[in-house]
Amino acid sequence: MGPTQKPNVCRQLSRRALGFFSRDAGVVQRTNLGILRVLVCQESTKFKNVWTTHSKSPIAYERGRIYFDNYRCCVSSVASEPRKLYEMPKCSKSEKIEDALLWECPVGEILPNSSDYKSSLIALTAHNWLFRISATTGKVLEKIYLASYCKFRYLSWDTPQEVIAVKSAQNKGSVLARQAGIQQPVLLYLAVFHVLPFSLIGILEINKKIFGNVTDATLSHGILIVMYSSGLVRLYSFQAITEQFMQQKLDLGCACRWGGTAGTVGEAPFGIPCNIKITDTPPLLFEVSSLENAFQIGGHPWHYIITPNKKKQKGVFHICALKDNSLAKNGIQEMECCSLESDWIYFHPDASGRIIHVGPNQVKVLKLNEVENNSAQHQISEDFVILANREKNKNENLPTVTASGRVVKKNFNLLDDDPEQETYSHEVYFDRDLVLHIEQKPSRVFSCYVYQMVCDPGEEETTNRSCEKE
């Protein structure tokens, strides 16, 4: 067979405009990604730094929007030069936004207001308010007062774009209480909501009497995940807990009497009472021990990834079947590398069942499939590998000359990653023709670098000249 012909981008764009792929949205998406891949991978394509900014507060990025000053200022990154979308009024430190999630309109649902069909930012403030803010104007569309009995600090998706979990800071008690040996019964709270329109599922308390010395807890896809300092991870059904231990159903905006106090649910100063209090150990779905509580579930059928709970096993990953804890064939994954930072692994977020294993100088894409002639067992196989093409330090192999003129050659192990980058925290986003790089430097200075895809002008000029000659 001859060489594979590269797809013609102009022809694909013309076919798309004429509706050749309109019957299947998946085909359109794959065609768009194919066009983008051709443009990105051609040798003449470069990414040019078009914008750089620095900030003393964290910088966040979500879907073409860059957020500064604790989400108070929003800048669009879609244009070649970022453009300010909005800037909310200045506020006190007690009113700043602590965490936020981007909500996008669901497909095929009828919503109560026309503004609901546009993207919103769900934001948690330092004084326990939950806001829904227009992602394009910064206008507050909805607001809920959570509570005064704890400090809520973190936002996460339980079910992406449908259910959110608001987690409180851990209640460690005062210094005097700890010195006196007074134990805090409630370790943390989880407030759970359906989004748009906001509706309360409930607020759950994680208490020491039932769960013991918990170090952290979270919700994911209807599963309550509880973690311990020993590395133990336990899973419970949040729905079963809600059905068994909810004391009273609460509705936002409705009058309520609770503990001798009356008020409106979700409005200050009453807020939302904790209405899910576990009084007995709930049924355990699953438990496993893993180093640093590292635990993931994914794949088809369900598998999980852990690191054996021993320090010397760091960087070793076991991929096991959820139904019987059996290790998949080739299920022990370990990357041979010498680096300051350990490698990491995760199930691909596209729900394809693929597994991404990332090291300092390579990315392995693995796939989970059935063992031939044995459908009951699954195996891990390598799909493809991406290798980093790092430039070698020109001075790394130079000999040293002593004062007496003697030449000394140094023997040392080269690291696979870059030691100069180790004190930094990095985030890199690839969005169509843009690459964004956000870093935090040791002095708590945050920087954002925006790179735009361009065709190398030198090669473009050469191409034009060759066309003129023809």
Side-chain angles (χ1 to χ4, degrees):
M1 295 178 65
T4 305
Q5 186 177 2
K6 289 185 178 180
N8 185 294
V9 171
C10 294
R11 187 180 298 121
Q12 285 186 309
L13 289 172
S14 300
R15 287 170 62 83
R16 188 182 67 178
L18 294 171
F20 276 77
F21 313 114
S22 59
R23 294 182 181 180
D24 188 343
V27 172
V28 176
Q29 174 70 355
R30 286 192 296 272
T31 302
N32 291 342
L33 291 175
I35 293 170
L36 181 61
R37 180 180 179 181
V38 170
L39 294 174
V40 170
C41 293
Q42 61 186 5
E43 292 183 7
S44 61
T45 298
K46 309 291 181 187
F47 282 88
K48 179 184 177 183
N49 181 219
V50 294
W51 193 64
T52 300
T53 189
H54 308 281
S55 172
K56 292 183 179 180
S57 61
I59 302 173
Y61 175 78
E62 282 283 353
R63 300 266 185 180
R65 298 178 178 90
I66 309 172
Y67 295 96
F68 301 94
D69 195 11
N70 300 110
Y71 294 92
R72 193 176 65 85
C73 179
C74 177
V75 172
S76 171
S77 67
V78 175
S80 58
E81 184 175 335
R83 174 178 55 88
K84 184 184 290 187
L85 290 176
Y86 64 82
E87 185 170 358
M88 300 172 70
K90 290 187 177 181
C91 60
S92 65
K93 189 175 181 180
S94 64
E95 297 174 321
K96 70 174 184 177
I97 295 175
E98 295 255 339
D99 202 359
L101 296 171
L102 184 67
W103 180 89
E104 295 180 296
C105 174
V107 178
E109 291 189 22
I110 299 176
L111 302 174
N113 303 305
S114 58
S115 62
D116 297 340
Y117 290 94
K118 297 181 180 179
S119 299
S120 304
L121 196 69
I122 299 173
L124 173 65
T125 69
H127 60 329
N128 277 4
W129 281 88
L130 192 64
F131 289 163
R132 184 168 72 88
I133 301 169
S134 168
T136 53
T137 66
K139 179 182 178 183
V140 176
L141 304 174
E142 287 183 83
K143 60 181 182 178
I144 299 168
Y145 180 64
L146 296 173
S148 59
Y149 50 80
C150 69
K151 172 72 173 71
F152 285 99
R153 185 165 288 173
Y154 310 101
L155 280 176
S156 63
W157 290 110
D158 172 26
T159 304
Q161 302 296 316
E162 294 181 19
V163 179
I164 60 168
V166 191
K167 184 168 69 174
S168 74
Q170 290 195 37
N171 184 10
K172 297 180 180 178
S174 65
V175 176
L176 292 175
R178 291 199 299 272
Q179 290 175 346
I182 300 174
Q183 299 292 330
Q184 297 297 322
V186 180
L187 300 172
L188 58 87
Y189 294 88
L190 288 167
V192 189
F193 298 86
H194 286 291
V195 293
L196 211 66
F198 274 123
S199 61
L200 174 69
I201 296 175
I203 295 185
L204 165 69
E205 68 172 25
I206 304 296
N207 63 67
K208 188 172 183 178
K209 182 179 178 181
I210 299 298
F211 293 102
N213 291 315
V214 172
T215 56
D216 200 5
T218 189
L219 277 176
S220 178
H221 294 83
I223 301 296
L224 173 64
I225 304 172
V226 181
M227 289 159 273
Y228 299 83
S229 58
S230 63
L232 188 66
V233 180
R234 287 177 173 162
L235 275 59
Y236 304 89
S237 167
F238 179 65
Q239 181 179 348
I241 289 172
T242 301
E243 292 172 353
Q244 185 176 355
F245 299 108
M246 181 180 286
Q247 297 180 333
Q248 181 181 334
K249 181 75 170 68
L250 300 175
D251 295 314
L252 295 174
C254 294
C256 173
R257 180 171 291 277
W258 192 278
T261 305
T264 303
V265 178
E267 293 186 6
F270 187 75
I272 305 172
C274 176
N275 63 335
I276 307 175
K277 297 188 177 182
I278 301 175
T279 55
D280 195 10
T281 305
L284 181 67
L285 294 180
F286 181 80
E287 74 173 2
V288 70
S289 182
S290 180
L291 186 66
E292 300 175 350
N293 300 119
F295 172 74
Q296 297 181 59
I297 294 180
H300 307 291
W302 295 113
H303 279 66
Y304 64 89
I305 304 175
I306 61 165
T307 294
N309 198 8
K310 295 179 181 178
K311 286 186 178 180
K312 65 180 181 180
Q313 293 288 311
K314 189 168 185 178
V316 178
F317 303 100
H318 287 201
I319 305 169
C320 306
L322 187 64
K323 65 176 182 179
D324 58 7
N325 298 318
S326 62
L327 185 70
K329 187 178 180 181
N330 302 325
I332 299 178
Q333 293 293 315
E334 184 175 9
M335 190 174 285
E336 294 183 4
C337 56
C338 178
S339 61
L340 296 173
E341 293 185 347
S342 60
D343 51 320
W344 43 284
I345 194 169
Y346 62 96
F347 286 101
H348 197 291
D350 66 357
S352 64
R354 290 181 295 178
I355 298 169
I356 312 298
H357 192 179
V358 182
N361 59 3
Q362 61 179 308
V363 177
K364 286 185 177 181
V365 179
L366 311 172
K367 57 184 178 181
L368 178 68
N369 46 33
E370 292 181 357
V371 174
E372 191 175 355
N373 301 324
N374 185 3
S375 60
Q377 188 182 10
H378 287 72
Q379 64 182 357
I380 305 299
S381 58
E382 197 174 274
D383 201 0
F384 60 89
V385 179
I386 302 172
L387 298 175
N389 184 17
R390 294 186 181 274
E391 292 184 3
K392 296 291 184 181
N393 189 340
K394 295 180 180 178
N395 299 319
E396 65 188 17
N397 295 320
L398 293 180
T400 301
V401 181
T402 65
S404 62
R406 187 166 59 94
V407 177
V408 179
K409 289 187 177 180
K410 293 182 179 179
N411 291 324
F412 57 91
N413 292 325
L414 293 177
L415 294 171
D416 292 324
D417 54 7
D418 188 350
E420 294 181 359
Q421 303 296 330
E422 172 70 13
T423 56
Y424 300 116
S425 172
H426 294 268
E427 296 176 18
V428 178
Y429 301 91
F430 178 61
D431 189 353
R432 288 167 293 188
D433 64 334
L434 293 177
V435 172
L436 285 94
H437 175 206
I438 299 173
E439 68 172 354
Q440 176 187 348
K441 295 182 179 178
S443 55
R444 276 196 65 82
V445 173
F446 298 85
S447 301
C448 177
Y449 309 92
V450 180
Y451 301 86
Q452 188 172 38
M453 183 171 66
V454 294
C455 181
D456 185 86
E459 293 200 16
E460 187 177 356
E461 186 178 348
T462 304
T463 305
N464 290 338
R465 287 177 179 176
S466 64
C467 290
E468 289 173 2
K469 289 180 181 178
E470 292 177 2

